[in-house]
DNA sequence: TTGAAAGCGTTACCAG
DNA sequence: CTGGTAACGCTTTCAA
């Protein structure tokens, strides 16, 4: 409902005169109908005479009337609000996720209540706020404890986990297949003749980090590479740099580095090329994970797994909305395959 | 209010028994007091006997009672909700802004209603939603027309513009000094002997883009560089690449490129080095603007202006809250100086 | 300090 | 199809 100047003036004058925003009673009074009639005009499929409907909408528009979402929510038990929990907004990869979620939810006429979890912010406080605001559902791209998830269940708030698996049977989730992706990557490296692997893992408490890490280690072990050195980073550029430096120090013959994220891989590439004087990929291959924007930049052309973020966020929104409409619907776990980007940061054979 | 298992069980059992969330009446009934008393317990400075207060809080905690924010807002005319409008979340620089705003607002016990403006989304729809949800205020890091701003004024919703100036006298704003920053940058380039400038500007409809662009052109003109070639990009990496290619084509002696954003500068660096075979900064200097994360990566070490995002977002939140508390307070325009990062993408003299 | 009662602006359920 | 009336869960007078 775009407003043109033509129907803005009355709004302004109504507010100027009364000092408050018009209610359905104001509309009803001026249109000479009951308040119920006004309410029905804005309901999806209410029964109302076309002529009356026309009149009411005209008056409403002249007054600049909009139903008050608070009052609607209070009585109808539906806020059309979804809480999005996201840790580490500065992560390079999350902005894309957030934009995707926002777009998908907006399309379904749902608003996003954003909770960006900094290191210091208490998740429990956030849950408290979510509860107070009666959101219809939650999408969590952040670490949630068993107990915290249980609280959502207690409160009957549907939750969809993004890129993490909840242990409970109740939590739905949308994930990118870390295991498959990481295996593709490592398999190619092995097939291309790499023999001296190092791993730059994420922090221990990261779900995706550990998943990718263990997938890589498992496959390497299967292929006879038993004790692959690993250092831990925190998904940051700096930790990627530090990681490869450490790996190179303890492994003189290092020829392949598997990083748990693009950003760490990028850091590793910079450090390897600029500080360690290594040629990437000629004498050192480096692979990442995510397929974030900078991975495609010419200076890096990272060999990585691209997550289908658009489809994943759309799926997360769809799943959540379904569970909101029908709380009895079963919690589904959707797993998307990532796409391998060959890039040029790893020496790959045919 | 972190919840321990000890006080979660009762919550669950209450909900299980009654099937609904506890209200202040439930607490009142069980505690044997009036509903008003319960309400007062959760009000900032209400008068209530300490003993009674103790009792009520105990019962409330056992029931897992939380005041319903919707009902509170409906009556008190305060939602503690702020709408954040942001265009182009994928912008590399906005995530930091969003994280900063979120942190600053959360600290003040205000929640963020996020509106991410994609190309297709209608701003007017967003304004409609904002109005329906009775947010207390708006922070806008997006393009808003005169009329749109007027609507906020009509609705008595305070707005703080982020990095853009509103023409009306009513809109407060927080900005980074593009003019000063850009002048510093260009001044240094001139002083260091650059003579053949090119500009990669932002899109015409970008406020900051035009500000930076005209600042650069003005200073260059003042210094006798009359007709500096300019190409327009869209702040993307790809457009930075295309931009420098075009500039190099029309200016064989090009020795300095002024870009309206870091991302375009990074694209320009990659193109110049990799495709055009230029040595940056030895035979071509490239400068950006923003001071976003990737600008500091070793492969780029961009010469740029770093915006004090943390202070800016804190200021935006503070200004908005002040205008919410006291609608009569004057609209302030705060201008922050950026900090020049010398980097290594430009050949700078002492 | 306390409790009763009147809203806040809607939707939902009634008779008519 | 229509209008009256009862919620929704809270804050806020106002008397006691």
């Amino acid at each position: 409902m775009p407003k043109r100047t033509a129907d803005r003036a009355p709004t302004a004058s109504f507010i100027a005169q009364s000092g408050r925003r018009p209610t359905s009673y104001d509309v009803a009074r001026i249109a000479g109908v009951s308040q119920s009639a006004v309410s029905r005009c804005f309901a999806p499929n209410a029964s109302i005479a076309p002529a009356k409907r026309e009149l009411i909408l005209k008056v409403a528009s002249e007054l600049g009337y909009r139903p008050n979402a608070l009052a609607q929510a209070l009585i109808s038990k539906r806020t059309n609000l979804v809480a999005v929990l996201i840790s580490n907004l500065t992560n390079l990869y999350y902005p894309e996720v957030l934009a995707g979620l926002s777009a998908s939810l907006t399309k379904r006429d749902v608003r996003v209540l954003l909770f960006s979890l900094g290191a210091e912010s208490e998740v429990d406080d956030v849950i408290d706020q979510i509860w107070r605001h009666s959101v219809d559902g939650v999408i969590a791209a952040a670490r949630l404890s068993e107990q915290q998830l249980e609280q959502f269940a207690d409160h009957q708030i549907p939750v969809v986990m993004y890129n993490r698996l909840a242990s409970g049977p109740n939590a739905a989730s949308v994930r990118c297949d870390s295991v498959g992706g990481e295996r593709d990557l490592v398999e190619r490296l092995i097939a291309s003749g790499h023999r001296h692997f190092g791993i730059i893992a994420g922090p221990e408490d990261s779900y995706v980090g550990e998943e990718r890490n263990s997938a890589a280690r498992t496959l390497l072990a299967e292929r006879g590479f038993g004790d692959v050195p690993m250092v831990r980073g925190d998904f940051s550029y700096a930790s990627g740099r530090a990681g490869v430096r450490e790996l190179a120090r303890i492994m003189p013959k290092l020829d392949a580095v598997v990083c748990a994220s693009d950003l760490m891989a990028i850091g590793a590439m910079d450090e390897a090329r600029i500080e360690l004087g290594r040629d990437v990929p000629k004498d050192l291959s480096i692979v990442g994970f995510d397929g974030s924007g900078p991975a495609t930049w010419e200076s890096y052309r990272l060999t990585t797994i691209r997550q289908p973020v658009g489809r994943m966020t759309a799926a997360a929104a769809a799943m959540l909305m379904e569970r909101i409409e029908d709380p009895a619907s079963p919690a589904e776990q959707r797993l998307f395959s990532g796409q391998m980007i060959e890039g040029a940061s790893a020496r790959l054979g045919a």
Side-chain angles (χ1 to χ4, degrees), chain A:
Chain A
M1 268 138 273
K3 304 169 85 191
R4 296 177 317 281
T5 320
D7 61 346
R8 273 238 339 291
T11 308
S13 70
F14 179 93
I15 294 184
Q17 280 166 34
S18 69
R20 59 189 179 71
R21 97 185 242 178
T23 72
S24 52
Y25 277 100
D26 296 317
V27 177
R29 186 167 34 77
I30 296 179
V33 299
S34 74
Q35 181 271 337
S36 314
V38 177
S39 175
R40 279 192 283 262
C41 273
F42 292 86
N45 38 18
S47 59
I48 187 148
K52 184 166 283 195
R53 187 186 142 80
E54 201 87 348
L55 168 64
I56 293 178
L57 287 179
K58 181 165 161 291
V59 173
S61 146
E62 275 169 6
L63 254 45
Y65 167 78
R66 295 283 184 286
N68 182 325
L70 267 50
Q72 285 182 315
L74 187 56
I75 184 92
S76 69
K77 308 284 183 204
R78 211 29 164 96
T79 52
N80 289 317
L81 238 45
V82 160
V84 171
L85 269 64
I86 215 157
S87 54
N88 246 344
L89 247 182
T90 49
N91 209 42
L92 209 59
Y93 156 76
Y94 279 134
E96 203 185 338
V97 174
L98 188 53
L101 290 175
S102 169
S104 301
L105 291 170
T106 301
K107 211 172 299 168
R108 292 165 200 279
D109 206 39
V110 164
R111 257 66 53 202
V112 171
L113 204 54
L114 176 69
F115 293 91
S116 157
L117 304 179
E120 71 293 343
S121 61
E122 277 298 330
V123 179
D124 290 295
D125 292 346
V126 165
I127 293 182
D128 188 69
Q129 288 302 329
I130 288 179
W131 177 227
R132 291 169 118 96
H133 282 274
S134 324
V135 302
D136 293 336
V138 174
I139 295 180
R143 191 175 182 70
L144 252 39
S145 75
E146 198 87 5
Q147 300 199 341
Q148 287 159 347
L149 272 171
E150 224 174 287
Q151 290 187 40
F152 287 120
D154 288 354
H155 296 168
Q156 329 229 45
I157 302 176
V159 177
V160 171
M161 305 293 287
Y162 190 92
N163 254 351
R164 29 194 54 75
L165 202 49
S167 29
N170 261 338
S173 67
V174 167
R175 294 179 304 139
C176 177
D177 182 10
S178 295
V179 177
E182 202 69 63
R183 287 181 74 97
D184 286 353
L185 234 30
V186 174
E187 191 87 72
R188 279 298 292 278
L189 290 174
I190 296 173
S192 308
H194 296 84
R195 290 297 175 264
H196 304 279
F197 288 85
I199 292 178
I200 302 182
E204 277 181 80
D205 63 0
S206 156
Y207 180 83
V208 284
E210 281 310 86
E211 207 176 34
R212 293 168 190 174
N213 174 23
S214 82
R217 296 178 77 80
T218 303
L219 179 59
L220 284 166
E222 286 170 24
R223 293 291 185 277
F225 298 90
D227 208 29
V228 177
M230 177 188 88
V231 298
R232 286 200 182 275
D234 59 2
F235 289 134
S236 71
Y237 174 83
S239 73
R241 294 187 59 175
V244 77
R245 202 178 331 133
E246 174 65 8
L247 286 176
R249 192 181 63 73
I250 60 183
M251 286 181 73
K253 302 175 73 177
L254 180 72
D255 65 2
V257 178
V258 177
C259 304
S261 81
D262 282 354
L263 191 47
M264 291 198 295
I266 285 173
M269 282 182 76
D270 277 353
E271 182 74 12
R273 284 173 169 167
I274 299 169
E275 302 295 330
L276 306 178
R278 300 283 217 113
D279 186 315
V280 177
K282 215 174 106 216
D283 42 69
L284 181 62
S285 289
I286 295 179
V287 302
F289 206 108
D290 285 342
S292 50
T296 67
W297 293 355
E298 278 303 308
S299 290
Y300 302 109
R301 299 186 57 204
L302 206 56
T303 300
T304 188
I305 300 291
R306 166 135 190 91
Q307 299 191 41
V309 179
R311 278 185 295 147
M312 288 170 65
T313 52
M319 284 175 55
L320 184 63
M321 294 317 291
E322 189 184 325
R323 300 199 66 195
I324 290 173
E325 312 287 358
D326 173 19
S329 75
E332 193 185 347
Q333 320 248 13
R334 289 188 64 174
L335 189 64
F336 288 81
S337 289
Q339 182 199 357
M340 178 153 170
I341 308 289
E342 301 220 345
S345 70
R347 178 176 45 78
L348 299 182

